[in-house]
Amino acid sequence: MSGSLRHRARARDGDRAGPHTGVSTVSARPDGLHVIEHRGTVAAGSAPTVVLVHGSLDRGATFARVVRRLGDLHVVTYDRRGYNRSRAMPLARSLEEHVADLVSVVGDGPAVVVGHSYGGDVAIGAAIDAPAVIGAVGAYEPPLPWFEWWPRRTASSIANEDPAEFAEGFFRRVVGDAGWDRLTDQARADRQADGPALVAELTDLRRHGAPFDLADLRVPLVLARGGASIPHHRRSVDALVELVPGSEVVEIPGSAHGAQLSHPDAFADFVRRVVDHATDSPPGR
């Protein structure tokens, strides 16, 4: 891979905006994790399974528009523990627990993992832990609060927040007041109910140093960011490229942090770049 490559993915809905042509199945897992498998049209074994990992205060359904553009692939989405339909599971108190869940979802592979925001941290951690089954990893603007330039908010100050109020405030900051106001009463209650998971993971991410050593990454890394994203989200990609020379960077012009919603064609292209690298380089390199 060339670290200088800038893949300019399409930023408009269009060529692959049709409905998903495979079959979607909800997996009733005994551990309580809510998993949906979207079986594509590609022959079994001819391409790795794609597992998409959502960010903070989100859920697997955030990738619905992206999945519709990956109808040839076997794609798996899931609600991380503490969120939405996985809310009944014991709360995860560390990134390592979310990583373990993702490795469990991947199973025997082969797979690629692609995470949005905090999901990018989870995806990178899983790729480090399970290179024998994960052939490549993608991360869209993963947060790096252990760097000194990341906006300051201490672990203790987050831990002391009221979870429901913190969830509402987080949503308003990320999506905007108008987005919160458009939610139904039930949707607002659902997001507030995700507050304990949000507080736990953001507290943990600020409590220690880096949660993984990128020198241990043995599979290709593809990073993505939006052309209209705020500075520290964009800078997180630069920081990771420094630590993982040869990583590819995908730029999505006009997009901010929620590219999977606003620019699903481009996000799907990003996912396909990760699949391409797994095909070119077998797990574990």
Side-chain angles (χ1 to χ4, degrees):
M1 284 184 296
S2 169
S4 63
L5 177 62
R6 290 290 188 269
H7 177 67
R8 290 283 176 174
R10 283 189 297 277
R12 290 181 178 273
D13 293 352
D15 295 347
R16 290 192 298 277
H20 188 272
T21 54
V23 176
S24 297
T25 305
V26 176
S27 173
R29 289 174 50 121
D31 60 7
L33 204 63
H34 182 81
V35 179
I36 300 181
E37 296 195 46
H38 312 269
R39 294 278 178 181
T41 58
V42 68
S46 60
T49 296
V50 176
V51 184
L52 302 177
V53 191
H54 70 80
S56 297
L57 201 66
D58 211 344
R59 57 276 326 274
T62 192
F63 297 112
R65 296 175 185 175
V66 176
V67 171
R68 287 199 295 270
R69 290 153 173 84
L70 299 172
D72 54 318
L73 297 175
H74 177 199
V75 182
V76 175
T77 58
Y78 69 105
D79 295 343
R80 290 192 291 105
R81 67 168 65 214
Y83 288 104
N84 200 35
R85 291 187 173 92
S86 297
R87 199 180 294 136
M89 295 183 68
L91 206 61
R93 297 292 179 183
S94 68
L95 179 71
E96 288 75 17
E97 290 179 74
H98 287 295
V99 166
D101 284 343
L102 176 53
V103 171
S104 173
V105 170
V106 167
D108 295 332
V112 302
V113 291
V114 180
H116 170 258
S117 193
Y118 180 91
D121 293 326
V122 178
I124 291 171
I128 291 172
D129 278 10
V133 292
I134 296 174
V137 56
Y140 186 93
E141 298 182 358
L144 307 175
W146 53 90
F147 280 88
E148 55 85 22
W149 47 262
W150 194 265
R152 290 295 90 190
R153 185 73 197 270
T154 65
S156 60
S157 69
I158 294 175
N160 291 330
E161 292 271 5
D162 174 84
E165 292 180 3
F166 186 71
E168 178 179 342
F170 184 91
F171 190 99
R172 288 181 181 276
R173 287 193 302 277
V174 173
V175 181
D177 291 334
W180 180 263
D181 294 341
R182 283 194 298 269
L183 294 179
T184 65
D185 288 345
Q186 182 58 55
R188 291 179 189 173
D190 282 342
R191 299 292 179 161
Q192 290 171 329
D194 290 342
L198 174 68
V199 168
E201 67 191 26
L202 295 191
T203 298
D204 169 70
L205 210 56
R206 287 161 172 78
R207 185 166 283 149
H208 314 290
F212 39 64
D213 186 349
L214 286 161
D216 295 331
L217 184 64
R218 296 289 180 265
V219 302
L221 172 63
V222 183
L223 299 159
R225 61 185 172 192
S229 291
I230 57 180
H232 64 276
H233 285 165
R234 288 183 55 79
R235 187 174 179 183
S236 69
V237 170
D238 292 328
L240 291 175
V241 169
E242 266 189 54
L243 293 169
V244 188
S247 301
E248 181 179 343
V249 176
V250 172
E251 292 271 354
I252 301 182
S255 170
H257 195 54
Q260 78 282 11
L261 297 171
S262 64
H263 293 66
D265 276 337
F267 200 98
D269 285 345
F270 158 50
V271 172
R272 289 181 185 278
R273 291 302 299 154
V274 183
V275 174
D276 288 346
H277 283 296
T279 302
D280 295 340
S281 179
R285 283 198 283 197

